[in-house]
């Protein structure tokens, strides 16, 4: 199994509070991603990173920010949580093999509930 | 932008039935194509992949062929088992490392 760990695995927070989710990898992969999964919407990309300090927005980035200060860590922050951000969040990583992107390896997910 | 459209579910089959889940994509360039599977309470895991046109990915009895002319990557299995019950996602990845996923298809296999 790819070495990818998400923390926390579960969190309940109040509307308006900041929340940070952490993704840690031990594979030294270049790319890291944050997705949210909601019924009827599949997986939607929030932000991704293609290197240390190099990040870009995905399709549902409003209300979220990310940081990647080290290859192994990718943090997702909800600046002021809202009920619409209640979701399951997945981190994923992928690398390069002989110039081709590998598949994405996923963490176990973080179930976030905003009350 | 890129997009992936896969067959709407849920799909319910009897054990040993033939499975097809359709997947078509829109993308610039030549993406890699993937099928992922998700079991309850877990993250997605790779089922199979194909990186160029006419490649066939296969794993655990599942197969899919990268068809550039029809922009499709349909998933098939000749004889499904109860243990194949899961959610299946079709996805593409560009050379820039950005993935796009379909909405997922829930498969239930009954004994």
């Amino acid at each position: 199994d790819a070495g990818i760990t998400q923390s926390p695995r579960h969190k309940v927070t109040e509307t308006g509070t900041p929340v940070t989710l952490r993704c840690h990898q031990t594979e030294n992969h270049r790319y890291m991603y944050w997705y949210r999964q909601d019924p009827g919407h599949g997986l939607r990309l929030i932000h991704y990173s293609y290197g240390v300090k190099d990040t870009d927005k995905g399709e549902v980035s409003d209300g979220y920010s990310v940081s990647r200060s080290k290859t192994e860590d990718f943090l997702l922050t909800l600046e002021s949580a809202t009920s619409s951000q209640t979701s399951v969040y997945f981190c994923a990583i992928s690398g390069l093999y002989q110039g081709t992107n590998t598949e994405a390896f996923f963490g176990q997910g973080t179930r976030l509930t905003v009350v | 932008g890129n997009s992936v459209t896969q067959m709407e579910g849920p799909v319910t089959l009897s054990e040993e039935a033939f499975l097809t889940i359709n997947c078509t994509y829109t993308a610039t360039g030549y993406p890699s194509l993937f099928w992922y599977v998700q079991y309850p309470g877990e993250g997605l895991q790779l089922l199979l992949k194909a990186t160029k046109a006419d490649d066939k990915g296969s794993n655990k009895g599942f197969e899919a062929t990268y068809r550039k002319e029809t922009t499709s990557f349909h998933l098939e299995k000749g004889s499904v088992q109860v243990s194949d019950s899961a959610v299946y996602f079709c996805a593409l990845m560009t050379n820039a490392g950005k993935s796009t996923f379909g909405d997922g298809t829930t498969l239930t296999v009954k004994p």
Side-chain angles (χ1 to χ4, degrees):
Chain A
D1 289 345
I4 176 169
T5 305
Q6 291 184 231
S7 59
R9 293 293 312 281
H10 302 273
K11 186 169 182 66
V12 179
T13 191
E14 293 186 349
T15 299
T17 61
V19 176
T20 296
L21 308 183
R22 180 178 184 243
C23 179
H24 178 78
Q25 62 147 329
T26 57
E27 304 296 321
N28 201 35
H29 279 345
R30 175 179 180 180
Y31 299 97
M32 298 187 76
Y33 313 83
W34 277 107
Y35 293 92
R36 61 178 290 174
Q37 186 176 31
D38 304 288
H41 290 281
L43 279 170
R44 292 183 290 176
L45 182 65
I46 305 171
H47 283 280
Y48 73 106
S49 170
Y50 44 95
V52 174
K53 293 188 177 11
D54 290 324
T55 64
D56 204 353
K57 295 179 179 180
E59 60 184 297
V60 290
S61 59
D62 286 349
Y64 302 94
S65 62
V66 290
S67 67
R68 192 170 179 197
S69 59
K70 299 185 290 185
T71 298
E72 57 267 34
D73 290 325
F74 192 35
L75 303 181
L76 176 70
T77 298
L78 290 65
E79 301 291 347
S80 177
T82 67
S83 59
S84 65
Q85 293 176 311
T86 293
S87 186
V88 179
Y89 292 85
F90 286 99
C91 177
I93 61 176
S94 70
L96 288 170
Y97 178 72
Q98 295 184 342
T100 301
N101 285 295
T102 69
E103 65 270 27
F105 300 93
F106 284 81
Q108 292 289 86
T110 295
R111 184 172 295 276
L112 176 68
T113 302
V114 183
V115 298
Chain B
N2 299 331
S3 66
V4 174
T5 302
Q6 63 180 98
M7 184 170 124
E8 290 186 17
V11 174
T12 302
L13 296 173
S14 297
E15 206 165 23
E16 300 184 1
F18 184 85
L19 169 71
T20 299
I21 301 178
N22 290 336
C23 172
T24 58
Y25 68 91
T26 302
T28 55
Y30 303 97
S32 296
L33 301 176
F34 305 86
W35 277 100
Y36 292 87
V37 60
Q38 185 180 32
Y39 299 102
E42 300 183 6
L44 280 69
Q45 55 187 278
L46 179 70
L47 179 60
L48 53 83
K49 67 180 180 182
T51 58
K52 61 182 187 294
D54 300 324
D55 270 2
K56 177 186 282 189
S58 61
N59 185 27
K60 299 180 182 178
F62 291 90
E63 293 184 338
T65 301
Y66 190 140
R67 301 288 188 197
K68 188 171 182 295
E69 63 276 13
T70 56
T71 62
S72 65
F73 193 55
H74 304 321
L75 181 68
E76 295 182 338
K77 186 175 185 182
S79 176
V80 294
Q81 305 300 312
V82 172
S83 58
D84 293 327
S85 298
V87 183
Y88 292 82
F89 291 89
C90 183
L92 64 84
M93 182 182 283
T94 68
N95 290 335
K98 200 167 178 182
S99 288
T100 302
F101 288 81
D103 286 344
T105 300
T106 300
L107 171 66
T108 301
V109 180
K110 296 189 172 180

